[in-house]
Amino acid sequence: SKEYFRKLAFMVPTGLEKEGIFCIGIQRFNRATGEDVTEYIRQIQEYSGETGLIIDLRGNPGGPPLAAREISGFFLEPGDDFAYFQRRGYPRSMLDIPQLPADDRYRGDMVILIDEESGSASELFSGILQRRGRAQLMGTSSAGQVFLKSMYHLSDGSMVLLVTARGHHPDGTVFSFDGLTPDIPADRDQDGDELIRYAARYLLEKRKAR
């Protein structure tokens, strides 16, 4: 239970904060993610000029889909359908985009960093924002694990963990087991800080090109 409420989201240096380029790293989604991201988005909104945001989800294995749904409200239109999970023979479990205060909505350019260890809720969040054109993905293909698991306890004390529901976009398109394909591929050997700096420069150049 302590892990479920542990602080796992942090501001990460980009080297271009004076230019309005910021980065939030989320190591795993949990019940504290929404509160932590709220704090950081409000800090970023205090910057007087135009901003760009990097969300680093590399190495993030996911967590509760509701945590991904909660932070979607910072970036997408409230009240729209976010995604749904469907178990064979059961109705859809639909997730909508929550209503947040207008001042908390972030409208700047975004890049989300992913890699082969980005799975579950981190892929759900990234894939929805990519498909809606709200963010560009940078890095390497993700894990391909947008699904729900059910736990079945056996009489000998062991447990079987089975995939029981697949994740879908609101239009019915299923998340692929092949994972998400980044819009901007990156060298697998680039270290963490190097890719953040690359993404920061990309956002700054994108702004200048407008």
Side-chain angles (χ1 to χ4, degrees):
S1 61
K2 289 182 179 179
E3 186 71 17
Y4 206 49
F5 291 94
R6 181 181 167 198
K7 185 179 182 68
L8 294 171
F10 305 92
M11 291 293 287
V12 181
T14 66
L16 291 175
E17 283 83 2
K18 291 184 178 180
E19 301 289 340
I21 309 297
F22 301 92
C23 178
I24 301 173
I26 305 174
Q27 298 174 358
R28 180 188 289 270
F29 285 89
N30 64 10
R31 288 289 298 276
T33 304
E35 182 178 338
D36 293 337
V37 172
T38 298
E39 174 188 347
Y40 300 139
I41 291 293
R42 289 176 178 175
Q43 290 178 18
I44 293 168
Q45 304 283 40
E46 293 176 359
Y47 184 81
S48 58
E50 190 174 353
T51 61
L53 176 62
I54 303 162
I55 298 183
D56 189 356
L57 299 181
R58 290 172 298 166
N60 182 326
L66 288 177
R69 175 250 180 198
E70 184 177 4
I71 69 168
S72 73
F74 293 106
F75 313 109
L76 299 174
E77 289 297 322
D80 287 351
D81 291 334
F82 176 61
Y84 70 88
F85 289 85
Q86 188 161 23
R87 182 176 176 180
R88 184 176 298 174
Y90 288 81
R92 297 177 179 180
S93 297
M94 185 67 74
L95 303 176
D96 65 347
I97 300 167
Q99 177 75 49
L100 297 180
D103 290 345
D104 287 344
R105 296 279 310 285
Y106 182 78
R107 296 172 174 82
D109 292 331
M110 292 177 61
V111 166
I112 301 176
L113 305 183
I114 59 171
D115 64 11
E116 65 277 5
E117 296 180 3
S118 305
S120 183
S122 63
E123 288 181 288
L124 178 67
F125 174 78
S126 303
I128 293 296
L129 266 67
Q130 179 192 41
R131 189 177 180 87
R132 298 192 181 194
R134 184 61 187 86
Q136 291 181 288
L137 304 190
M138 180 182 293
T140 57
S141 296
S142 61
Q145 297 176 352
V146 184
F147 45 71
L148 290 178
K149 298 177 182 179
S150 297
M151 296 180 290
Y152 297 91
H153 297 274
L154 305 181
S155 58
D156 64 357
S158 61
M159 181 182 69
V160 176
L161 194 64
L162 294 178
V163 174
T164 55
R166 295 285 301 275
H168 297 72
H169 292 273
D171 66 0
T173 304
V174 67
F175 278 85
S176 172
F177 285 133
D178 293 330
L180 303 173
T181 301
D183 302 291
I184 308 167
D187 189 335
R188 197 176 294 270
D189 296 328
Q190 283 183 302
D191 66 32
D193 293 341
E194 183 180 0
L195 190 57
I196 289 173
R197 290 193 295 269
Y198 179 79
R201 292 194 297 271
Y202 171 81
L203 285 171
L204 186 59
E205 292 303 318
K206 183 177 181 180
R207 180 199 304 170
K208 291 178 178 179
R210 284 201 289 266

